[in-house]
Amino acid sequence: MRRLAGLLVVPLLLLTTAACGDDKGSDSASTSMTNGLPTITEGAKFGEKPTLAKGEGEPPKDLKVNVVSEGKGQTLKKGDVAQVDYLGQVWDGEEPFDNSFDRGEPFTVTLGGGGVIEGWQQALDGQKVGSRLEVSIPPELGYGAQEQGSIPANSTLVFVMDIVKGTTLPTSAKGTEVAQDNIDLPKVGTNTDGEKPSLTVPKKDAPAKLVSNYVIEGTGPAVKATDTLSVKYQGVLWKDGKEFDSSYARGNAPVSFPLAQVIPGWQKGLEGKKVGSRVLLVVPPDMGYGDQEQQGIPAKSTLVFTVDILAVQ
């Protein structure tokens, strides 16, 4: 999904199996540390914007998850979508580098679907909706040796995370099959077993304009430009059918993203389509990456996608 995002401007945590779970050690003698992590000095309750003390000493070498308060909702698992309010701070920092509380909008993440740093994926797996977590993420599960804005390279990150909502997604598009009778367009499989559908690109000239066609028409609400989508997708080059990206290749888990923050061909092609649908997108260069090469996608490429729209938030 990172390729689709292009010049994505999103919360800093967007980007890449240590065990995680409750870690209920004894409190440190220092008031700035609680159960081995920086103390939440203000806003300690679920739903309140927290304030974190500065970490003391060496940070944990592995992922560390403290359950500050456990919720009573569903237990999150791979493939679920979670909406999470959060505040993030570097271990030895005194001010947060990012938080969703001020924006008034939780961040949406699909477990197992990438789209966020690996430490988030591991910390959320197996936790209950309604829980507040405090999490320490070592560099290798965060941004590693890469500097990210105000976050120095090789930083240990500390997050307070409130799991506001969890949703179990369908595994596939489901609805009414739509005839694919244009021989000049790619043909897409109509399986609904959750596996990747077949995709055959004809040996013809690519269309000059955006194509957005139902393969399976669902019955859900129409996608709005402001929605965050949860989808399964694959992308291939028109010229040779070579796959350059696929959620199916990353554990067959859905991915979630704001529609407003992906390439124009996705924005225009998916807006108005019904949730539950499978859509064929043929994206001309001017609605994809144009003259820019993108990690194996040649400049001026026409792109072909299948997209299963599983849910919107």
Side-chain angles (χ1 to χ4, degrees):
M1 206 63 216
R2 285 172 293 192
R3 293 194 179 101
L4 288 175
L7 300 175
L8 206 56
V9 181
V10 289
L12 276 171
L13 59 93
L14 274 179
L15 278 181
T16 77
T17 301
C20 66
D22 290 14
D23 195 335
K24 301 185 181 293
S26 59
D27 287 1
S28 166
S30 168
T31 57
S32 66
M33 299 290 287
T34 303
N35 294 334
L37 294 181
T39 296
I40 301 174
T41 56
E42 295 181 18
K45 294 181 180 179
F46 182 93
E48 296 178 342
K49 179 184 175 181
T51 300
L52 278 173
K54 180 179 179 179
E56 289 188 354
E58 290 297 315
K61 296 186 183 302
D62 299 319
L63 180 72
K64 183 177 177 67
V65 180
N66 289 345
V67 179
V68 179
S69 60
E70 187 173 60
K72 298 181 179 180
Q74 72 181 77
T75 300
L76 297 175
K77 63 184 183 305
K78 178 181 173 182
D80 287 347
V81 171
Q83 291 183 283
V84 182
D85 271 322
Y86 68 92
L87 179 139
Q89 190 166 303
V90 297
W91 178 269
D92 54 357
E94 297 180 340
E95 297 290 335
F97 57 77
D98 193 16
N99 86 90
S100 68
F101 293 92
D102 288 345
R103 291 189 292 271
E105 183 176 357
F107 181 73
T108 300
V109 55
T110 302
L111 272 67
V116 291
I117 55 176
E118 181 63 21
W120 261 58
Q121 293 280 358
Q122 295 185 20
L124 289 170
D125 190 21
Q127 303 294 346
K128 291 182 178 180
V129 173
S131 296
R132 166 164 282 196
L133 313 177
E134 185 178 6
V135 182
S136 172
I137 299 176
E140 61 270 20
L141 297 178
Y143 300 110
Q146 188 176 16
E147 182 179 327
Q148 286 286 330
S150 63
I151 303 174
N154 298 308
S155 289
T156 293
L157 311 177
V158 181
F159 286 96
V160 177
M161 304 161 69
D162 286 357
I163 307 173
V164 177
K165 184 179 178 181
T167 305
T168 297
L169 298 178
T171 60
S172 172
K174 282 186 171 60
T176 303
E177 293 184 17
V178 177
Q180 302 178 65
D181 49 15
N182 188 336
I183 63 172
D184 294 326
L185 292 179
K187 295 296 182 288
V188 180
T190 56
N191 57 298
T192 58
D193 57 0
E195 299 302 316
K196 181 170 69 174
S198 60
L199 175 56
T200 305
V201 180
K203 297 186 182 303
K204 297 176 180 287
D205 291 339
K209 295 184 178 180
L210 176 70
V211 174
S212 174
N213 291 347
Y214 282 120
V215 176
I216 296 173
E217 185 173 357
T219 58
V223 172
K224 301 188 296 292
T226 55
D227 283 339
T228 292
L229 275 61
S230 296
V231 307
K232 287 185 177 180
Y233 73 97
Q234 61 179 313
V236 307
L237 301 176
W238 178 283
K239 70 173 186 178
D240 57 11
K242 180 181 178 182
E243 183 175 282
F244 59 83
D245 197 11
S246 170
S247 64
Y248 299 94
R250 295 190 297 273
N252 199 12
V255 296
S256 298
F257 58 89
L259 185 60
Q261 294 176 345
V262 290
I263 58 174
W266 274 57
Q267 293 180 37
K268 298 294 186 183
L270 296 182
E271 184 179 356
K273 290 293 191 282
K274 296 176 183 176
V275 174
S277 298
R278 177 169 299 158
V279 179
L280 166 70
L281 293 178
V282 181
V283 179
D286 63 338
M287 301 192 77
Y289 301 109
D291 294 334
Q292 290 184 318
E293 181 181 351
Q294 289 282 336
Q295 300 180 2
I297 302 174
K300 299 181 180 179
S301 288
T302 295
L303 312 176
V304 182
F305 296 94
T306 69
V307 185
D308 281 19
I309 308 171
L310 303 179
V312 294
Q313 289 84 34

